[in-house]
Structure formats: structure tokens, C-alpha cells
Amino acid sequence: MKSSYLTVFWGIALVTTSCAQATLKEAFKNDFLIGAALSPAQFYESNQVEAALVKAEFNSISPENVLKWEVIHPELGQYDFTLADRYVAFGETNQMFIIGHNLVWQNQTPDWVFQDQHGQPVGRTVLLKRMREHILTVVGRYKGRIKGWDVVNEALADTGHLSKDSRWFKIVGSDYIEKAFQYAHEADPEAELYYNDYSIEIGSKHYGALALIRKLKSSGIPIHAVGMQGHYNLDWPTNSDLEAAINDFAKIGVKVMITELDVDVLPSAWDVGSADITKNVKLQEKLNPYPASLPKDVGQRLANRYAELFRIFLKHRDAISRVTLWGVEDGDSWLNDWPVAGRTSYPLLFDRAGKPKPAFERVVSLSAAAGQTNCCIK
Ligand code: GLA
């Protein structure tokens, strides 16, 4: 009698377990890491809903801002690791693959880095010394804990050549990239090292990225992966361009990571530059068409687009080692404030309440792992 009760109990328990809502990390556990960029409210867990969501869904984390130079090393000789330490501790506690972003970039790097005490540009030797000291200090602090670093971010211009606007380029010259990778390797020989950039899927910038990585590899510089940021929209890049890009990078011997994925559904704002739409009602309506909520049909297009993208990622799972979303829920996204401030954007897989969107359902249901573990997804 007792044993038949038990049989019934376990039967119910099993059915319940196998019907559990699939998670992203479960769905892609055999394919690639799945990550999100975090802000302090998430890794301090002051936003409990979002912290719980991060723990449930993701097995890798990136710091949206807290490891950038301006935050961690705001003044000469002055570091502030408060936020970064907490970010790393959160990832360790939750057994996540922790990413460092980033070491050398033109933006979000304070002016003092490039200047002497009189505000005049420093020379190559001083700047390289500062770069090495920064990298040894930051990478060294998290040695063995931060597993992969975006060593150089956005070094290429649209032409495919190294950007001449970068103060790193202007002062050090084109080998600043090699130097950054060498210093990072010196600081943590086990860490994976990445070159990270946007719009390297097609055109001159794509060929520039291939040439840069080939050159680094042929000079014996340790580079393990290319980060394609993945700031996409409903039409760009085309599926075939994306696939060709993944194949091209894989062929030259680097892993491919999608490091900052989001899909913008709002109208392009480039025509109006950086106009402040909060002051212009007409512009507001035109550029911010969904201030209250995303219409169902647009949500559906977004879901289709995410499904296409993840179908491609899965097809190329041997080449791709990580897919990271740039934010956790729509309210986090930088696209609410860029390139114009004050828009309501919907580029991620979770809505502002932290609830899965149709795009999430489509994405998890694509994977073989989700098919085995989830009987609820239709
Ligand atoms: C770039 C950087 C990121 C971030 C985004 C906007 O892609 O790599 O760190 O600043 O822009 O959030």
C-alpha cells in the first residue's frame, strides 16, 4: 500500500520536474555559454527579481561598466575595486564564467591617462607604462577568477584600418594592440583574451578585423576569440552575412563570441543625430513609437528575429563559445538612451518586469536540450 503511494508520488514529481520552465542556460548547455551584462543592482542583489533571473538563466556574466577604466582607475595612482570585487564575487558564488570588459578602449577612459600634469599629451613610453601598470594591476587582481578578457575594444574604423581617432593609436602607434595582449597574457597566462568590436560582420570592417587577427596570430600574440558585439536590428545583418562572418573568423583559428547581443526594434535615429527627443513631441512620436508597450506584431517580429539568430548560433555551435546579451531585461538596455535619450526600447529577451517575452520562448524551444527537458513549451 505504502509503496504504491510512493510510486504515485514519484510519478507526479517526475512529471512536474520534466515540465519545468526551460531556462536559457539549460537550453544551451551543450552548445555555448549564455551570458548577460550586469549592472550593480543585479550583482549587489538590491534588485532581487533581476538577481534571481540572472542566477536562473545565465552561466556567464559581463560587467556593463564596472571594469571600465574610468570606473576602476579614475585618477593616476588611484584604483577603486569596490564594484568590480562585488561583480566577481557574485559570479564566483554562482559558478559563472566571468568576463572582464575591457582593458584598452578609446571611450570611457579618463583624459589623465593620455596627459601629463600640464594637460599635454604624454609620449609613447609613458603611455605604454601606464597601460602595462593598469593591465597588470586589474588582470592580476582577478587572476584565475576572471576567465576571459576583452583586451582591446573597438580599435577599427569603418574603413577597416585602425581608428586614427584613438588616443592609444595616436600616441603609441599601431602596436598598442599587440602590447595590450602581451601585458594581459603576462598578468594571467591562463586567461582567454579577446578582440571585441561592432559591425565586423561585413564590409571593410569585417576584412579589417580578419587582417588584424591574422596579424596578431602570425606574430605569436595570444588571442583566443573575436567578440562580435551583436548590436543588431530586425534586418541587419542578414542571415547569410552573419553566417559567412562566423565561418571566416572560425577559419583563421579564433573562437567566435557574440558579446553584446541586442536587437533594436525602434526606428533608426541616425537622421536626427543626438537630438533630445524629450523636448520635441513630433520627434518623440516618430522615434519613440511604443512608449507604453510593444505591439504584439512587433514582438512577434522580434521573436522571429531572435529565433533566426539563435538558429544560426546553434548551427555554428562548434565555432561559437559564448552568446552574451547586453543587459538582462528591456529596462536595462543602453538603447533606451542611445543614440537619443528617453526612448522606450525592447531589445532583450525579458520584459521590464523580468518576464520572458515571446522571443525568449522561441529561443529556448530551438535547442535540443530544451526539447528533452521541457514539455511546456509549444
Ligand atoms: C560598446 C561597449 C560596451 C557598451 C556599449 C553600450 O558596445 O563595448 O561596453 O559601452 O557600447 O552600452
Side-chain angles (χ1 to χ4, degrees):
M1 193 62 181
K2 201 170 168 196
S3 78
S4 62
Y5 274 135
L6 269 181
T7 313
V8 172
F9 171 79
W10 284 116
I12 292 168
L14 272 177
V15 169
T16 314
T17 313
S18 63
C19 274
Q21 169 79 49
T23 63
L24 292 167
K25 68 180 179 191
E26 180 64 23
F28 300 109
K29 66 179 179 203
N30 300 323
D31 307 310
F32 36 72
L33 292 166
I34 182 97
L38 304 193
S39 57
Q42 292 152 351
F43 57 77
Y44 272 84
E45 306 195 41
S46 55
N47 186 327
Q48 291 173 6
V49 172
E50 290 183 18
L53 198 57
V54 173
K55 291 183 206 176
E57 297 290 341
F58 299 101
N59 51 23
S60 175
I61 52 173
S62 298
E64 184 171 3
N65 286 302
V66 302
L67 272 156
K68 289 177 181 167
W69 196 311
E70 68 179 6
V71 177
I72 208 162
H73 194 178
E75 305 284 345
L76 181 63
Q78 186 192 313
Y79 285 89
D80 184 350
F81 292 111
T82 318
L83 296 168
D85 282 357
R86 192 66 182 241
Y87 160 77
V88 173
F90 177 87
E92 281 184 321
T93 306
N94 296 295
Q95 283 126 41
M96 292 159 163
F97 189 94
I98 306 170
I99 301 295
H101 171 86
N102 55 62
L103 295 171
V104 172
W105 188 25
Q106 158 68 8
N107 297 337
Q108 293 186 264
T109 303
D111 291 341
W112 71 259
V113 176
F114 308 99
Q115 294 172 353
D116 64 16
Q117 68 272 40
H118 308 294
Q120 295 305 308
V122 293
R124 169 182 160 94
T125 311
V126 171
L127 188 54
L128 280 177
K129 201 162 161 247
R130 285 183 181 170
M131 181 201 272
R132 180 165 181 271
E133 193 271 335
H134 177 85
I135 292 178
L136 291 192
T137 305
V138 177
V139 177
R141 184 178 183 91
Y142 302 113
K143 184 175 179 183
R145 302 166 71 200
I146 288 188
K147 304 288 187 195
W149 282 95
D150 289 336
V151 178
V152 176
N153 200 36
E154 301 180 356
L156 292 165
D158 291 346
T159 58
H161 299 293
L162 292 185
S163 168
K164 299 201 170 38
D165 296 333
S166 163
R167 288 167 291 178
W168 295 106
F169 179 87
K170 279 186 201 156
I171 296 174
V172 175
S174 61
D175 65 340
Y176 83 89
I177 298 183
E178 279 94 323
K179 296 287 183 198
F181 276 86
Q182 280 164 348
Y183 300 152
H185 185 64
E186 179 186 348
D188 185 354
E190 301 297 316
E192 294 181 357
L193 306 180
Y194 319 134
Y195 175 71
N196 192 50
D197 212 332
Y198 63 92
S199 299
I200 51 172
E201 285 77 359
I202 53 166
S204 305
K205 217 170 157 184
H206 175 65
Y207 295 109
L210 285 170
L212 173 65
I213 293 165
R214 262 199 220 103
K215 184 168 158 249
L216 292 173
K217 285 183 77 74
S218 68
S219 323
I221 301 295
I223 172 166
H224 305 95
V226 61
M228 298 202 296
Q229 291 184 358
H231 295 298
Y232 296 154
N233 61 38
L234 291 172
D235 309 306
W236 191 91
T238 65
N239 295 344
S240 55
D241 284 342
L242 178 58
E243 287 204 52
I246 295 167
N247 283 331
D248 284 351
F249 286 121
K251 266 190 234 144
I252 61 168
V254 281
K255 281 283 177 194
V256 176
M257 296 178 168
I258 315 298
T259 53
E260 305 185 14
L261 181 62
D262 44 33
V263 177
D264 198 356
V265 298
L266 299 184
S268 169
W270 289 109
D271 306 344
V272 293
S274 59
D276 183 353
I277 59 163
T278 55
K279 297 193 183 103
N280 182 332
V281 176
K282 268 215 171 117
L283 205 54
Q284 204 170 23
E285 281 167 6
K286 191 169 151 223
L287 290 180
N288 191 27
Y290 321 121
S293 62
L294 190 64
K296 225 172 164 188
D297 62 316
V298 187
Q300 213 43 60
R301 287 183 68 200
L302 180 69
N304 292 341
R305 179 64 169 144
Y306 261 111
E308 282 172 4
L309 291 172
F310 272 81
R311 212 172 278 131
I312 292 171
F313 302 155
L314 281 171
K315 180 172 167 195
H316 297 277
R317 57 203 277 278
D318 291 343
I320 294 177
S321 52
R322 174 169 59 96
V323 176
T324 291
L325 288 126
W326 204 244
V328 176
E329 48 84 8
D330 286 340
D332 293 334
S333 174
W334 68 303
L335 293 172
N336 292 297
D337 282 308
W338 188 92
V340 279
R343 297 203 290 180
T344 309
S345 194
Y346 301 85
L348 297 170
L349 296 175
F350 297 94
D351 69 16
R352 285 172 168 72
K355 297 270 176 293
K357 293 158 62 173
F360 168 93
E361 307 288 353
R362 290 287 301 282
V363 163
V364 288
S365 66
L366 283 177
S367 82
Q372 286 150 20
T373 57
N374 189 329
C375 62
C376 299
I377 301 257
K378 287 149 206 110

